[in-house]
Amino acid sequence: MAGKGKVTVIDIARAAGVSKSTVSLVLQGSPLVSEATRIKVNSVIRSLGYVYNRGAANLRQSRSRIIGIVVNDLTNSFFAEMAVGMDNIVESAGYIQFLAHTGENLDRQRAVISTMHEHGIAGLIVSPAHGTDPDDFQPLVDAGIPVVFAARYVSGPHLSSLVSDNAAGLAMVVRHLAGMGHRDIAFVGGRPDISIFTERLGGFRRGMDEAGLAVRDQWVFPALPSRAGGREAVGALLASAQRPTAIAAFNDAVAFGVCDGLRAAGLEPGRDVAVTGFDNVIEAASTVPALTTISVDPHGMGQKAAQLLLRQIGSAPAPEHIVTPVRLVVRASCGAGQANTRIQEISA
Amino acid sequence: MAGKGKVTVIDIARAAGVSKSTVSLVLQGSPLVSEATRIKVNSVIRSLGYVYNRGAANLRQSRSRIIGIVVNDLTNSFFAEMAVGMDNIVESAGYIQFLAHTGENLDRQRAVISTMHEHGIAGLIVSPAHGTDPDDFQPLVDAGIPVVFAARYVSGPHLSSLVSDNAAGLAMVVRHLAGMGHRDIAFVGGRPDISIFTERLGGFRRGMDEAGLAVRDQWVFPALPSRAGGREAVGALLASAQRPTAIAAFNDAVAFGVCDGLRAAGLEPGRDVAVTGFDNVIEAASTVPALTTISVDPHGMGQKAAQLLLRQIGSAPAPEHIVTPVRLVVRASCGAGQANTRIQEISA
DNA sequence: CATCAGATTTGGAACGTTCCATTTATAGGT
DNA sequence: ACCTATAAATGGAACGTTCCAAATCTGATG
């Protein structure tokens, strides 16, 4: 309640008639202080409106409780959910997070990382922007600060990662579509310069191969990994001589765009053309038609990534690379019957 | 590149043959130091791999460059975009942000706010959780830390706010629907315990009144402010004796749910029943049918809120309350013709 | 050559905590 | 009464910076 000058541990000590060291011990819940003084000190702390200065504390102990989280695109609900998953774990482990959005801008990302370093983070989780140079993390690694990549991945020494099994996911999609009788399947969306695209396309090819189907080059159609990208791409695709009967989209956002584009061309997704996504964002369950997709549980991935980081903060940082399994969620958009769909949705 | 012990300003001083004070001056770009020494010191800084310790710095200056941002729900793209808008401004003003997600949990919110206080934030922007007690911010206010509410609003002394003109928005929607000949208009979604609901419903009533239309109580239908909420609500609404010809939804998410629900009942949104939203989230432009909605530009709101906060950090914090104007964006979902729609979309 | 103004540079003393080595108090045993 | 072991409390020093007042350096001036 004091005016300008902040209340410090010394003020508390004076008011409680003990030394500042004792106050410090109370603050960190040490068992070395007697019950009586603990109570007295705590009451003074409350009545003076003291607020702990963590900056000063970890200047001395040089170990902070701040975790940096850098996300390429928070407006993409996949990454937003992942960030929330991280937040849950980080927060309940008694840490607090610096969260920054880079918007795929490398300079921004570099700036953000070094500012975080200057603030003394205990660890860093990054979903890196396109074209990220692993050297950007070297200063952190040199300082013994663990770094974990999530969702996306850049390889470098002493860097950990947690990504989902992109290839397996697309192979599952293709297997399912082939099982439903589709032979003409297109792959739409994504930018060839990122690892995820290569992995998913690889899975697509593997799935086609296993099903004994040929991949038509003009049906592998890169596009912006957004709703708009999907919508545009499908326009071009429908203009081609022979039309695919099924479209495996790079992710859910693209898949929604593909549905928009099909409707705009008078085709009903799910009935006239099968459409599948990847990510299983929340909306996937509730759009019409509900989207068949690969569930990668961004929230869970965020949690796992945070747990991985916390593990590394404690011990000597031995880098780990985790690939999380994915799961096919069948809904109406791939042409599965309504009844079937409803059941699957509930299980999702 | 040194081993464990961090490189400090003293190491730099020694290596460059100057005093630590001089190094400090170089660090903060002071004009008092000669060009020659500046260059020498800078080169030593680079070669030793020095990293500035902001914690130590603002222990001394007791003014930090950290801004706290607390958001009720990051997975809602409206708030996510708003957070990104804040990030842009905060970042380019040379600040860094603590960003936390409360998930509408009051305890979490309280915990997060006090941790941020302990870390010494320069200011705080909050999109408060339901039922937030303004007293929770008293310690910050007492410490002279400016607090700005964004999107949602809790009134209290010395607290600023920036909200959009919810009432005007819904009144505009109703005026437009009435102008298109609709007389039976329902209001769907939102929880009555938050200020936004009251404001929007108030605007709805005002609009109906001005158009000389009656509000039917059974057509004011609160529901969870989510896609799922909208979908459920519309089911109940369609079961009623007389059906509305237009549905003004609480927000875009609800509107999408309403569209889903209509389709599930065999009705085509935009053709059979007019649907409108509120927020103008990115997807609103690209869904089919494109959604008529109120544009509140979350990104811009985030930016404005951040600017408001920065203004207050500089000067004596005189609380401000800003109501940002909103704009009607007419698209296909309210039954406007396709041609018209396309033009409007571009202007949006 | 002494003086002075301006430009540079510099030693400490802070900032608010933690930690270590000591001191002081308490109680139990002979 | 004395010693000892344990419990509780305490005074600095340290963490890495900034800031102030004071010191030093540079030429130019008379």
Side-chain angles (χ1 to χ4, degrees), chain B residues 11 30 37 85 122 164 179 186 243 300 327:
Chain B
D11 301 316
S30 161
T37 45
S164 50
R243 292 177 172 186
R327 204 162 49 81

Side-chain angles (χ1 to χ4, degrees), chain B residues 148-151 153 159-165 301 304-305 307-309 311-312 319-325:
Chain B
V148 170
F149 290 112
Y153 166 55
L159 300 173
S160 298
S161 68
L162 188 143
V163 295
S164 50
D165 198 341
M301 274 186 68
K304 280 189 200 133
Q307 283 157 346
L308 169 54
L309 183 72
R311 221 179 302 140
Q312 304 219 326
E320 291 180 48
H321 296 278
I322 301 181
V323 175
T324 63

Side-chain angles (χ1 to χ4, degrees), chain B residues 109 113 123-126 128 132-150 152-163 305 308-309 312 316-322:
Chain B
Q109 180 171 285
I113 290 170
L124 179 70
I125 308 182
V126 193
T132 294
D133 181 352
D135 289 350
D136 290 351
F137 302 94
Q138 208 50 49
L140 295 174
V141 170
D142 288 346
I145 299 172
V147 175
V148 170
F149 290 112
R152 296 172 176 183
Y153 166 55
V154 176
S155 64
H158 304 290
L159 300 173
S160 298
S161 68
L162 188 143
V163 295
L308 169 54
L309 183 72
Q312 304 219 326
E320 291 180 48
H321 296 278
I322 301 181

